[in-house]
Amino acid sequence: MPGAIDSANQYLARLAEGMAGATVSTSVVVGAPGDGIVGHLTSHPVDLVIIASRGRTGLARAALGSVTERVLQGPDPVLVFEIGEDRSRLF
C-alpha cells in the first residue's frame, strides 16, 4: 500500500502545480472513498473541495453509489467537474 499512497501523492502534487496562483493542499485518505473524504474534511476543514464526477446515472449509480454525492453532503463547499472537462477555465 505505501507504493500506491506515494503514487497518489505524486499525482496530486502534479495537479496542484497546475493551479498556479491558488493555495492548494492535497491529502490521500485510505478507506471507503466518500466516507473517508467526509471524515477527513470533518477534522481538516478546507475552503473548497474540488472533485471529478463520472456522471453515472440510473442503475450504475445505484449499484456503485456516488462518492461525489456523499462528499456534497460533507461540511465544506464542493466544486464538481466532469472527467475530461477542460479545467483550465476554473483557475
Side-chain angles (χ1 to χ4, degrees):
M1 177 89 58
I5 292 171
D6 289 341
S7 294
N9 278 315
Q10 291 170 5
Y11 171 75
L12 292 173
R14 284 192 308 272
L15 287 178
E17 287 173 5
M19 297 179 194
T23 302
V24 178
S25 150
T26 63
S27 299
V28 175
V29 178
V30 177
D35 291 335
I37 294 168
V38 170
H40 181 76
L41 294 172
T42 300
S43 58
H44 300 87
V46 299
D47 294 324
L48 179 66
V49 175
I50 302 174
I51 190 167
S53 175
R54 291 190 173 135
R56 288 188 176 120
T57 59
L59 188 56
R61 182 175 179 178
L64 299 173
S66 172
V67 172
T68 302
E69 186 172 317
R70 177 68 181 107
V71 174
L72 285 168
Q73 297 170 3
D76 298 311
V78 179
L79 172 65
V80 180
F81 65 92
E82 284 188 44
I83 291 176
E85 181 178 355
D86 178 13
R87 296 182 304 269
S88 65
R89 64 185 177 82
L90 302 175
F91 299 98

mmCIF file of all heavy atoms in Angstrom, residues 11 14-16 18-19 50-52 79-91:
data_model
loop_
_atom_site.group_PDB
_atom_site.id
_atom_site.type_symbol
_atom_site.label_atom_id
_atom_site.label_comp_id
_atom_site.label_asym_id
_atom_site.label_seq_id
_atom_site.Cartn_x
_atom_site.Cartn_y
_atom_site.Cartn_z
ATOM 1 N N TYR A 11 0.801 12.168 -7.927
ATOM 2 C CA TYR A 11 -0.226 12.585 -8.892
ATOM 3 C C TYR A 11 -0.902 13.881 -8.432
ATOM 4 O O TYR A 11 -1.058 14.833 -9.207
ATOM 5 C CB TYR A 11 -1.258 11.462 -9.062
ATOM 6 C CG TYR A 11 -2.460 11.855 -9.865
ATOM 7 C CD1 TYR A 11 -2.385 11.989 -11.252
ATOM 8 C CD2 TYR A 11 -3.681 12.098 -9.243
ATOM 9 C CE1 TYR A 11 -3.493 12.353 -11.995
ATOM 10 C CE2 TYR A 11 -4.796 12.462 -9.988
ATOM 11 C CZ TYR A 11 -4.703 12.592 -11.352
ATOM 12 O OH TYR A 11 -5.796 12.961 -12.091
ATOM 13 N N ARG A 14 1.323 16.925 -8.829
ATOM 14 C CA ARG A 14 1.363 17.412 -10.218
ATOM 15 C C ARG A 14 0.118 18.229 -10.539
ATOM 16 O O ARG A 14 0.203 19.276 -11.186
ATOM 17 C CB ARG A 14 1.502 16.245 -11.196
ATOM 18 C CG ARG A 14 2.892 15.650 -11.253
ATOM 19 C CD ARG A 14 3.064 14.696 -12.427
ATOM 20 N NE ARG A 14 2.063 13.660 -12.529
ATOM 21 C CZ ARG A 14 2.125 12.464 -11.938
ATOM 22 N NH1 ARG A 14 3.155 12.160 -11.172
ATOM 23 N NH2 ARG A 14 1.165 11.583 -12.112
ATOM 24 N N LEU A 15 -1.050 17.774 -10.081
ATOM 25 C CA LEU A 15 -2.280 18.530 -10.314
ATOM 26 C C LEU A 15 -2.223 19.886 -9.621
ATOM 27 O O LEU A 15 -2.617 20.905 -10.187
ATOM 28 C CB LEU A 15 -3.500 17.748 -9.813
ATOM 29 C CG LEU A 15 -3.940 16.549 -10.618
ATOM 30 C CD1 LEU A 15 -5.138 15.881 -9.949
ATOM 31 C CD2 LEU A 15 -4.291 16.935 -12.036
ATOM 32 N N ALA A 16 -1.734 19.898 -8.383
ATOM 33 C CA ALA A 16 -1.658 21.137 -7.612
ATOM 34 C C ALA A 16 -0.732 22.145 -8.280
ATOM 35 O O ALA A 16 -1.007 23.351 -8.271
ATOM 36 C CB ALA A 16 -1.202 20.838 -6.184
ATOM 37 N N GLY A 18 -0.389 22.652 -11.323
ATOM 38 C CA GLY A 18 -1.117 23.246 -12.444
ATOM 39 C C GLY A 18 -2.125 24.295 -12.015
ATOM 40 O O GLY A 18 -2.782 24.898 -12.855
ATOM 41 N N MET A 19 -2.250 24.533 -10.736
ATOM 42 C CA MET A 19 -3.207 25.513 -10.224
ATOM 43 C C MET A 19 -2.465 26.726 -9.670
ATOM 44 O O MET A 19 -2.655 27.135 -8.535
ATOM 45 C CB MET A 19 -4.091 24.876 -9.160
ATOM 46 C CG MET A 19 -4.930 23.755 -9.702
ATOM 47 S SD MET A 19 -5.940 22.994 -8.434
ATOM 48 C CE MET A 19 -6.450 21.519 -9.260
ATOM 49 N N ILE A 50 -12.487 20.177 -4.541
ATOM 50 C CA ILE A 50 -12.667 20.019 -5.988
ATOM 51 C C ILE A 50 -12.642 18.527 -6.280
ATOM 52 O O ILE A 50 -11.706 17.834 -5.907
ATOM 53 C CB ILE A 50 -11.555 20.738 -6.766
ATOM 54 C CG1 ILE A 50 -11.544 22.223 -6.403
ATOM 55 C CG2 ILE A 50 -11.753 20.539 -8.271
ATOM 56 C CD1 ILE A 50 -10.397 22.991 -7.006
ATOM 57 N N ILE A 51 -13.705 18.041 -6.932
ATOM 58 C CA ILE A 51 -13.825 16.603 -7.162
ATOM 59 C C ILE A 51 -14.368 16.349 -8.565
ATOM 60 O O ILE A 51 -15.194 17.112 -9.074
ATOM 61 C CB ILE A 51 -14.729 15.959 -6.087
ATOM 62 C CG1 ILE A 51 -14.686 14.437 -6.151
ATOM 63 C CG2 ILE A 51 -16.156 16.470 -6.157
ATOM 64 C CD1 ILE A 51 -15.298 13.753 -4.935
ATOM 65 N N ALA A 52 -13.872 15.296 -9.180
ATOM 66 C CA ALA A 52 -14.350 14.895 -10.508
ATOM 67 C C ALA A 52 -15.514 13.925 -10.365
ATOM 68 O O ALA A 52 -15.601 13.175 -9.398
ATOM 69 C CB ALA A 52 -13.226 14.231 -11.294
ATOM 70 N N LEU A 79 -16.771 21.869 -5.488
ATOM 71 C CA LEU A 79 -16.836 22.173 -6.913
ATOM 72 C C LEU A 79 -16.696 20.847 -7.640
ATOM 73 O O LEU A 79 -15.701 20.138 -7.458
ATOM 74 C CB LEU A 79 -15.697 23.122 -7.311
ATOM 75 C CG LEU A 79 -15.527 23.383 -8.807
ATOM 76 C CD1 LEU A 79 -16.743 24.127 -9.365
ATOM 77 C CD2 LEU A 79 -14.261 24.182 -9.059
ATOM 78 N N VAL A 80 -17.697 20.508 -8.471
ATOM 79 C CA VAL A 80 -17.707 19.232 -9.186
ATOM 80 C C VAL A 80 -17.488 19.507 -10.673
ATOM 81 O O VAL A 80 -18.102 20.414 -11.231
ATOM 82 C CB VAL A 80 -19.058 18.501 -8.996
ATOM 83 C CG1 VAL A 80 -19.066 17.172 -9.740
ATOM 84 C CG2 VAL A 80 -19.362 18.306 -7.525
ATOM 85 N N PHE A 81 -16.603 18.734 -11.292
ATOM 86 C CA PHE A 81 -16.434 18.818 -12.735
ATOM 87 C C PHE A 81 -16.453 17.417 -13.308
ATOM 88 O O PHE A 81 -16.188 16.451 -12.616
ATOM 89 C CB PHE A 81 -15.148 19.578 -13.127
ATOM 90 C CG PHE A 81 -13.885 18.884 -12.711
ATOM 91 C CD1 PHE A 81 -13.242 18.003 -13.570
ATOM 92 C CD2 PHE A 81 -13.336 19.104 -11.458
ATOM 93 C CE1 PHE A 81 -12.077 17.360 -13.179
ATOM 94 C CE2 PHE A 81 -12.169 18.469 -11.069
ATOM 95 C CZ PHE A 81 -11.540 17.589 -11.927
ATOM 96 N N GLU A 82 -16.809 17.315 -14.590
ATOM 97 C CA GLU A 82 -16.829 16.014 -15.250
ATOM 98 C C GLU A 82 -15.430 15.609 -15.668
ATOM 99 O O GLU A 82 -14.626 16.454 -16.073
ATOM 100 C CB GLU A 82 -17.719 16.061 -16.488
ATOM 101 C CG GLU A 82 -19.190 16.031 -16.176
ATOM 102 C CD GLU A 82 -20.015 15.873 -17.439
ATOM 103 O OE1 GLU A 82 -19.649 15.038 -18.300
ATOM 104 O OE2 GLU A 82 -21.019 16.588 -17.559
ATOM 105 N N ILE A 83 -15.153 14.321 -15.587
ATOM 106 C CA ILE A 83 -13.873 13.798 -16.057
ATOM 107 C C ILE A 83 -13.744 14.141 -17.534
ATOM 108 O O ILE A 83 -14.685 13.969 -18.306
ATOM 109 C CB ILE A 83 -13.775 12.276 -15.830
ATOM 110 C CG1 ILE A 83 -13.683 12.003 -14.333
ATOM 111 C CG2 ILE A 83 -12.603 11.678 -16.581
ATOM 112 C CD1 ILE A 83 -13.683 10.552 -13.967
ATOM 113 N N GLY A 84 -12.600 14.668 -17.913
ATOM 114 C CA GLY A 84 -12.371 15.063 -19.297
ATOM 115 C C GLY A 84 -12.742 16.506 -19.584
ATOM 116 O O GLY A 84 -12.410 17.036 -20.638
ATOM 117 N N GLU A 85 -13.433 17.157 -18.647
ATOM 118 C CA GLU A 85 -13.820 18.559 -18.837
ATOM 119 C C GLU A 85 -12.568 19.443 -18.777
ATOM 120 O O GLU A 85 -11.651 19.176 -18.019
ATOM 121 C CB GLU A 85 -14.792 18.951 -17.717
ATOM 122 C CG GLU A 85 -15.295 20.375 -17.811
ATOM 123 C CD GLU A 85 -16.305 20.713 -16.713
ATOM 124 O OE1 GLU A 85 -16.680 19.811 -15.931
ATOM 125 O OE2 GLU A 85 -16.681 21.872 -16.634
ATOM 126 N N ASP A 86 -12.567 20.499 -19.550
ATOM 127 C CA ASP A 86 -11.447 21.439 -19.553
ATOM 128 C C ASP A 86 -11.464 22.230 -18.249
ATOM 129 O O ASP A 86 -12.321 23.081 -18.040
ATOM 130 C CB ASP A 86 -11.565 22.386 -20.749
ATOM 131 C CG ASP A 86 -10.470 23.417 -20.797
ATOM 132 O OD1 ASP A 86 -9.464 23.281 -20.058
ATOM 133 O OD2 ASP A 86 -10.604 24.377 -21.577
ATOM 134 N N ARG A 87 -10.493 21.922 -17.362
ATOM 135 C CA ARG A 87 -10.445 22.587 -16.059
ATOM 136 C C ARG A 87 -9.711 23.918 -16.120
ATOM 137 O O ARG A 87 -9.713 24.655 -15.157
ATOM 138 C CB ARG A 87 -9.767 21.668 -15.036
ATOM 139 C CG ARG A 87 -10.554 20.403 -14.786
ATOM 140 C CD ARG A 87 -9.891 19.535 -13.732
ATOM 141 N NE ARG A 87 -8.512 19.180 -14.032
ATOM 142 C CZ ARG A 87 -8.117 18.104 -14.683
ATOM 143 N NH1 ARG A 87 -9.012 17.249 -15.128
ATOM 144 N NH2 ARG A 87 -6.852 17.855 -14.896
ATOM 145 N N SER A 88 -9.096 24.236 -17.250
ATOM 146 C CA SER A 88 -8.309 25.458 -17.330
ATOM 147 C C SER A 88 -9.175 26.696 -17.103
ATOM 148 O O SER A 88 -8.698 27.706 -16.616
ATOM 149 C CB SER A 88 -7.595 25.555 -18.671
ATOM 150 O OG SER A 88 -8.531 25.669 -19.730
ATOM 151 N N ARG A 89 -10.442 26.616 -17.405
ATOM 152 C CA ARG A 89 -11.312 27.772 -17.210
ATOM 153 C C ARG A 89 -11.687 27.972 -15.742
ATOM 154 O O ARG A 89 -12.236 29.000 -15.370
ATOM 155 C CB ARG A 89 -12.564 27.635 -18.062
ATOM 156 C CG ARG A 89 -13.442 26.466 -17.678
ATOM 157 C CD ARG A 89 -14.620 26.316 -18.645
ATOM 158 N NE ARG A 89 -15.396 25.170 -18.320
ATOM 159 C CZ ARG A 89 -16.332 25.101 -17.386
ATOM 160 N NH1 ARG A 89 -16.611 26.154 -16.672
ATOM 161 N NH2 ARG A 89 -16.985 24.001 -17.162
ATOM 162 N N LEU A 90 -11.380 26.998 -14.908
ATOM 163 C CA LEU A 90 -11.720 27.094 -13.499
ATOM 164 C C LEU A 90 -10.705 27.914 -12.703
ATOM 165 O O LEU A 90 -11.019 28.444 -11.662
ATOM 166 C CB LEU A 90 -11.840 25.691 -12.869
ATOM 167 C CG LEU A 90 -12.862 24.759 -13.505
ATOM 168 C CD1 LEU A 90 -12.786 23.395 -12.858
ATOM 169 C CD2 LEU A 90 -14.260 25.341 -13.383
ATOM 170 N N PHE A 91 -9.462 27.990 -13.197
ATOM 171 C CA PHE A 91 -8.410 28.670 -12.440
ATOM 172 C C PHE A 91 -7.666 29.642 -13.306
ATOM 173 O O PHE A 91 -7.388 29.454 -14.408
ATOM 174 C CB PHE A 91 -7.423 27.646 -11.855
ATOM 175 C CG PHE A 91 -8.100 26.703 -10.913
ATOM 176 C CD1 PHE A 91 -8.494 25.461 -11.331
ATOM 177 C CD2 PHE A 91 -8.366 27.094 -9.612
ATOM 178 C CE1 PHE A 91 -9.128 24.591 -10.460
ATOM 179 C CE2 PHE A 91 -9.000 26.232 -8.745
ATOM 180 C CZ PHE A 91 -9.389 24.987 -9.167
#
